[in-house]
Amino acid sequence: MGLLKDFLRIEADRRGALAALRLEAQSRRLQIDEIGAEAKRKRDEVAMIEEGLRRLAEDIARTEEQLLEIESRRDDHDREAHERKIEAVRSSLEYDRADGHRISEDFRRLRSAFESERARLLAEADTGRMMDNFFQIEAFLKDTGTPIPDAARKALVKERQDLMGRIGPLVAPPPAPEGVFKATVVYTALEEGEPAAIVAVGLPDEAEPSGAHDLPALLLYGSYASVVEKIGPGVPRPRREEGVVIYEQPAGSRATDEAALDLFLAVKAGLEKAASAAGVPCELTGVFLEPEIASAVFPRGGQARRF
Amino acid sequence: MAVKWIGDAAQELGITPLDAVEILASRQEYPMNGLVDEDRFKTLRLMRGGKRLETSGSQAMPLPDRHVSPMTVPVVAPAPSAPSRVTRQPDAHPSPRACSRRRSPRPPPPVHVIPAPPPIRPPVGEATSVTAPLQTIPGREGERTVILPPVDPKH
């Protein structure tokens, strides 16, 4: 009996342990299912994040392409602006040259006719007498110390007007063209190679040989004289390149900007003085050129004609 | 006084117009109307050969022995009749007196230094052809500068 009871007890314990293990296994299986579900949810999240990252990468690539395109357009704009500036400088100088040519022709025509008329009047026999009379009347009328009766003054004024009509070119100032000599004087400071200051202006060609009625020659000589007076003798001669008169002065030990400004002021003052001496109204505009533009417009060592 | 266009004057002197301009401008004498009077033409004629010499830099001048102002250096006029052959003759037949004179230390021969005349420059601040204000005459279109051409006295 004892053995049977032991067997029954052992069997009952085994069945109880087996049931407990079954419950434990069931619990573990449920845990595995939860972890699997959690893993699946995490994988879904990772997939969503990866999708977002892929989209962000595509956005970055597209933005970079746009950036490259913008940079390319900026380079195109810079290149176009550079070329347009070069063209603007060339066309401005060319326009100044053509406009100056027109005024020069007017100047030459007016002065030639004036000189011809003067020569004709001087060749006449009674011109000297009329000039004497004119200047005597002028002196008499301007003499405030001698009282002149009104009737006599009126007669003298009338006589002076008559004489003025006959010998006007001999006592009147020479005529000047109606137009205004307008020009743009460009200047720059080149640092490449030997630092140099450059000043350029569009001037028409002077006659060969030049004459007293040659406005371009007068302007060129005046500007060069001013450069010599203000900077000193021995300065390089101006050169002509495609109709543009170019002054190029090595900066030496001075700052290139300062040398360019001095050269520009000297050329501008000379042109103004020469134009004033010729009786031609003058309007000059100074424009500082970027060195990149100036290097393209005024290449060094080009085919230039030295004066 | 006859005036000439500077280009014609330069051609007559065998130089380029810009040479003539440089010569006159370096002396502050360039006329802005380009008409050269007789004085300036003479200047051009005198300066045409030595233009580059003058403008090429300073020239070394012999200095006197004594440290004095160049303006006070005495300029000794050359002897009226003292040819070198006359002074060399006693060397061929030296007399005792001449020998004794030769032994004594001779003073160094005087250096005839004639200071270069100062260039004719306008005083500082004086108006020149470039710096002078232009006389303007008001006209119909506003102020206009007029340069009256000189009247030829021959006519």
Side-chain angles (χ1 to χ4, degrees), chain A residues 58-72:
Chain A
E58 287 176 358
D59 289 348
I60 289 171
R62 190 169 56 251
T63 307
E64 283 180 344
E65 285 180 2
Q66 290 174 350
L67 197 60
L68 289 174
E69 186 182 349
I70 288 171
E71 286 179 353
S72 173

Side-chain angles (χ1 to χ4, degrees), chain B residues 34-53:
Chain B
L35 297 175
V36 181
D37 57 17
E38 286 184 0
D39 290 341
R40 291 187 172 100
F41 186 73
K42 285 176 186 170
T43 302
L44 285 178
R45 193 165 49 199
L46 288 173
M47 298 290 294
R48 61 179 167 174
K51 179 180 71 66
R52 285 297 172 189
L53 183 65

Side-chain angles (χ1 to χ4, degrees), chain A residues 64-301:
Chain A
E64 283 180 344
E65 285 180 2
Q66 290 174 350
L67 197 60
L68 289 174
E69 186 182 349
I70 288 171
E71 286 179 353
S72 173
R73 284 165 59 192
R74 188 196 63 189
D75 290 343
D76 290 344
H77 286 170
D78 287 349
R79 199 176 306 114
E80 185 185 352
H82 186 264
E83 290 171 357
R84 286 177 62 192
K85 280 184 180 177
I86 292 172
E87 188 57 34
V89 171
R90 285 186 174 142
S91 64
S92 172
L93 294 174
E94 179 60 31
Y95 175 80
D96 289 346
R97 186 166 179 247
D99 194 52
H101 179 73
R102 181 180 57 79
I103 293 181
S104 300
E105 287 301 312
D106 290 349
F107 183 81
R108 186 193 313 276
R109 180 174 45 78
L110 287 171
R111 289 295 173 96
S112 298
F114 183 75
E115 292 295 332
S116 300
E117 182 64 12
R118 280 173 58 94
R120 187 189 67 77
L121 288 170
L122 288 172
E124 290 183 357
D126 56 345
T127 299
R129 179 187 56 79
M130 287 191 288
M131 287 181 69
D132 286 344
N133 289 347
F134 179 84
F135 289 120
Q136 282 180 8
I137 292 172
E138 279 279 301
F140 195 60
L141 288 175
K142 287 178 182 173
D143 185 8
T144 56
T146 307
I148 307 174
D150 288 345
R153 178 179 292 277
K154 193 179 291 182
L156 286 174
V157 169
K158 184 177 182 309
E159 179 65 18
R160 187 181 64 172
Q161 283 180 348
D162 291 345
L163 289 172
M164 187 78 178
R166 298 182 65 182
I167 58 167
L170 293 178
V171 295
E178 289 293 326
V180 177
F181 173 70
K182 294 180 182 175
T184 302
V185 184
V186 297
Y187 65 106
T188 189
L190 291 183
E191 299 287 354
E192 289 180 8
E194 185 185 7
I198 286 184
V199 174
V201 61
L203 270 185
D205 291 336
E206 66 274 14
E208 189 63 39
S210 62
H213 304 153
D214 192 354
L215 183 61
L218 200 61
L219 295 172
L220 175 68
Y221 299 163
S223 62
Y224 182 59
S226 176
V227 170
V228 171
E229 286 198 12
K230 297 197 173 182
I231 295 180
V235 294
R237 296 280 168 85
R239 67 178 191 268
R240 189 178 279 281
E241 201 169 298
E242 297 176 1
V244 179
V245 174
I246 301 173
Y247 286 87
E248 183 170 345
Q249 167 79 16
S253 59
R254 306 173 61 201
T256 316
D257 289 348
E258 187 183 343
L261 183 61
D262 285 348
L263 185 62
F264 160 70
L265 291 176
V267 171
K268 184 169 179 284
L271 288 173
E272 288 172 343
K273 291 273 184 184
S276 297
V280 177
C282 174
E283 286 180 13
L284 298 179
T285 308
V287 176
F288 181 78
L289 286 187
E290 303 161 26
E292 299 81 20
I293 306 295
S295 298
V297 179
F298 313 117
R300 288 176 167 178

Side-chain angles (χ1 to χ4, degrees), chain B residues 101-149:
Chain B
R101 198 188 309 154
R102 203 182 335 177
R103 281 189 206 102
S104 62
R106 280 187 183 177
V111 181
H112 302 286
V113 178
I114 302 176
I120 302 171
R121 302 271 188 204
V124 177
E126 183 173 317
T128 65
S129 60
V130 168
T131 60
L134 289 170
Q135 187 178 4
T136 56
I137 300 173
R140 284 174 303 174
E141 300 83 8
E143 286 190 344
R144 175 175 290 179
T145 303
V146 174
I147 304 297
L148 295 177

